[in-house]
Amino acid sequence: MKIDRFLKAALVGLSLSAMPLAMSTPAPAHADTVRIVKKGTNATLNVPMNRAVVVESDIPFAELSIANPGIADISSLSDRTIYVLGKSPGLTTLTLLDASGQLITNVDVRVAADVSEFKERLRQILPGEQIEVRTANDGIVLSGVVSSTQRLQRALDLAERYAPERVSNLMSVGGVQQVMMKVRFAEMQRNVSKSLSSSLALNGTIDSTGINGGTGTTATSGGIAGSLGGTVPAGNQNAGAVLFGFNAGSVQVGLLLEALEQKGVVRFLAEPNLVALSGQEARFLAGGEYPIPVAQTSSNSISVEFKPFGVELIFVPRVVGQDVINLELNASVSAIDPTNSVILGNGIEISAFTRRETSTTVELRDGESFAIAGLLTDDFTDNTSQLPWLGDVPVLGALFRSADYQRNQTELVIIVTAHLVTPTQGEALALPTDRIRPPTEKDLFLFGRTSEGTRTPKKGAAGEVAKQDFGGSYGYVLD
């Protein structure tokens, strides 16, 4: 009996001493494990597929049987040791009988895919992620909470390498997964135009010869008769005009100087905000729809299609890290431009559109901004008209010459900012309309008030927001 115990202890010690050596050397195709089966127990033995387990019994057996040899194969190494090889996923029963035919024990043998290597690779590729790996028949089940959708997809892609088309995903994404997109359109248009022109008119007689003529504007307005009469010609469109007239003997001389300077500045700013779940598309339109007639050749009729215009925003956010956001963005600003309208043959007039649009994909962190689009145009036009030869004469040539120039500058910048946001309680939110109440009849008719006054929250987050002006942030709580 002492010798038997000594041999058992030696076998266990030999197995344990071989484990460090097996860990330091490449693992063989079939790894061995030692398990002890006791009499009267109905234990479960887990065997990886295509690997072997050595089972030791504390009672000598005389006969072995396996219920389904297709799931596991067995062979006896001695009257106490059994070699079990996993062949295909499934559950079967191993039965041990003694020399008298009495049942020693039944062992449930469960054969599943070997996921030990997959677990090790998962820890190497995605360290720190709380992912649990289980086997289900011949597949892999993944559960737990991951930090981003990108890491979740990496885990699924790795699992597909070990169990193609047999991966069940029970994982969820933790952290904030809602993104608020803030887009700022800023456009500045500047234009400057200047013009200076002169007209000379003559009327009278020289040596009994009549003279009546002129240059520039006075040449088209009846010559000297209208100019010296003190009236500016009807064709004049300039903001400033100076008329001089004098007599040189029997000849009347008229000089008309016309000058124009125009300056203009246009500022346009749009700032749409929109919230979407990570991976989901969100759309925003602040504007309207313009009807456009479309000819139908099949029915010989005209139908109407509506084209949207205004501030449009389409984006798809993806949270790829703890605070890293991938944005697929399409933003545009359009307006009706009647100056470039098209008139059809049947009298239908269709207006054109001015449109500024950008489509891009950027990656930024929570709260960071990108200037995704910028445009600077500078148009310059310079025109000079004069009478041949006379306009080239120094000083006096200015009376026979007209010059004008025009310069148009446009600058456009589009800036995007992304925030990770979470919902909050409804009473913590405030709107600009919360501070305005409709007027009473007394306030409206007697005092001409369009509102009865303001009602400002005093406490909580709504009170803090109410202290801001109408340009403040409403409706969102930022991390």
Side-chain angles (χ1 to χ4, degrees):
M1 192 67 178
K2 292 182 179 180
I3 297 176
D4 184 35
R5 292 179 180 177
F6 177 76
L7 291 177
K8 289 183 179 180
L11 180 59
V12 174
L14 180 61
S15 301
L16 295 177
S17 63
M19 289 178 62
L21 180 61
M23 294 177 62
S24 61
T25 58
H30 305 286
D32 297 338
T33 346
V34 176
R35 296 181 182 273
I36 299 176
V37 179
K38 296 182 180 180
K39 183 177 181 180
T41 61
N42 191 341
T44 300
L45 178 65
N46 294 316
V47 182
M49 189 170 58
N50 297 326
R51 301 190 69 173
V53 172
V54 176
V55 182
E56 184 184 53
S57 174
D58 59 347
I59 299 175
F61 56 83
E63 186 178 350
L64 299 173
S65 65
I66 189 76
N68 189 346
I71 296 178
D73 194 7
I74 60 173
S75 62
S76 59
L77 303 179
S78 66
D79 60 349
R80 294 176 180 272
T81 309
I82 311 165
Y83 182 85
V84 182
L85 173 64
K87 298 175 65 177
S88 62
L91 181 64
T92 186
T93 303
L94 171 65
T95 303
L96 282 71
L97 303 175
D98 59 13
S100 61
Q102 297 295 321
L103 176 66
I104 297 177
T105 184
N106 285 325
V107 179
D108 292 333
V109 179
R110 186 186 303 276
V111 179
D114 185 13
V115 294
S116 57
E117 181 183 359
F118 170 64
K119 291 181 179 179
E120 182 64 25
R121 295 292 179 267
L122 199 60
R123 285 193 295 267
Q124 294 174 357
I125 297 175
L126 301 174
E129 297 293 344
Q130 304 298 323
I131 301 178
E132 298 181 3
V133 181
R134 296 182 178 88
T135 58
N137 200 3
D138 60 344
I140 297 177
V141 179
L142 300 179
S143 60
V145 180
V146 293
S147 59
S148 66
T149 56
Q150 187 180 35
R151 294 203 163 198
L152 182 145
Q153 189 60 44
R154 288 180 183 177
L156 293 177
D157 293 341
L158 183 61
E160 286 288 338
R161 304 288 295 180
Y162 289 86
E165 299 181 357
R166 299 190 308 277
V167 179
S168 299
N169 177 25
L170 300 181
M171 296 182 292
S172 60
V173 180
V176 180
Q177 295 297 311
Q178 294 185 107
V179 180
M180 184 186 77
M181 187 68 184
K182 181 178 181 180
V183 182
R184 287 177 287 173
F185 298 85
E187 182 177 2
M188 182 71 73
Q189 296 179 358
R190 297 178 291 270
N191 61 81
V192 177
S193 64
K194 294 181 180 181
S195 64
L196 177 63
S197 63
S198 61
S199 302
L200 181 64
L202 299 175
N203 188 22
T205 58
I206 299 178
D207 295 335
S208 301
T209 302
I211 298 175
N212 191 345
T215 63
T217 305
T218 58
T220 62
S221 57
I224 198 66
S227 298
L228 296 183
T231 59
V232 178
N236 177 67
Q237 298 295 328
N238 288 337
V242 180
L243 182 63
F244 298 95
F246 59 91
N247 295 329
S250 60
V251 178
Q252 294 179 321
V253 180
L255 179 63
L256 177 64
L257 298 178
E258 299 174 286
L260 172 66
E261 180 178 5
Q262 291 182 336
K263 297 180 180 179
V265 175
V266 177
R267 177 179 178 268
F268 175 80
L269 180 65
E271 193 171 334
N273 294 344
L274 191 60
V275 176
L277 188 65
S278 176
Q280 301 297 317
E281 181 183 271
R283 292 174 174 265
F284 176 91
L285 173 62
E289 292 188 340
Y290 182 79
I292 298 178
V294 178
Q296 303 293 333
T297 56
S298 59
S299 59
N300 195 20
S301 61
I302 296 178
S303 62
V304 177
E305 292 185 0
F306 290 88
K307 179 179 178 61
F309 67 92
V311 180
E312 298 179 75
L313 177 62
I314 303 173
F315 81 103
V316 180
R318 295 181 180 88
V319 181
V320 297
Q322 303 227 345
D323 59 347
V324 179
I325 306 169
N326 179 281
L327 285 176
E328 184 179 341
L329 175 69
N330 189 338
S332 64
V333 176
S334 58
I336 299 176
D337 184 13
T339 59
N340 295 321
S341 60
V342 177
I343 300 178
L344 303 180
N346 51 6
I348 299 177
E349 182 178 355
I350 302 176
S351 299
F353 288 84
T354 59
R355 186 177 181 89
R356 282 81 68 197
E357 182 178 5
T358 180
S359 179
T360 184
T361 301
V362 296
E363 192 170 278
L364 66 167
R365 294 185 178 274
D366 178 26
E368 293 182 340
S369 299
F370 255 126
I372 62 171
L375 173 65
L376 178 62
T377 60
D378 192 349
D379 298 331
F380 181 81
T381 303
D382 188 356
N383 294 318
T384 301
S385 59
Q386 64 180 24
L387 287 177
W389 304 295
L390 295 179
D392 295 330
V393 176
V395 183
L396 293 179
L399 299 177
F400 305 92
R401 183 172 58 243
S402 298
D404 67 89
Y405 81 88
Q406 184 174 0
R407 187 174 187 179
N408 297 322
Q409 291 179 315
T410 301
E411 187 173 1
L412 171 66
V413 176
I414 301 178
I415 300 175
V416 298
T417 305
H419 293 282
L420 294 174
V421 295
T422 55
T424 185
Q425 298 296 327
E427 58 270 13
L429 303 179
L431 297 173
T433 54
D434 293 342
R435 294 181 265 171
I436 303 299
R437 289 183 294 182
T440 62
E441 293 184 358
K442 176 183 177 181
D443 291 333
L444 179 62
F445 294 108
L446 294 183
F447 301 103
R449 297 172 183 171
T450 57
S451 63
E452 190 181 354
T454 61
R455 46 181 180 181
T456 304
K458 302 297 183 182
K459 300 180 181 180
E464 295 296 327
V465 175
K467 296 178 183 179
Q468 304 177 13
D469 57 9
F470 285 93
S473 300
Y474 297 93
Y476 304 101
V477 176
L478 306 182
D479 279 353

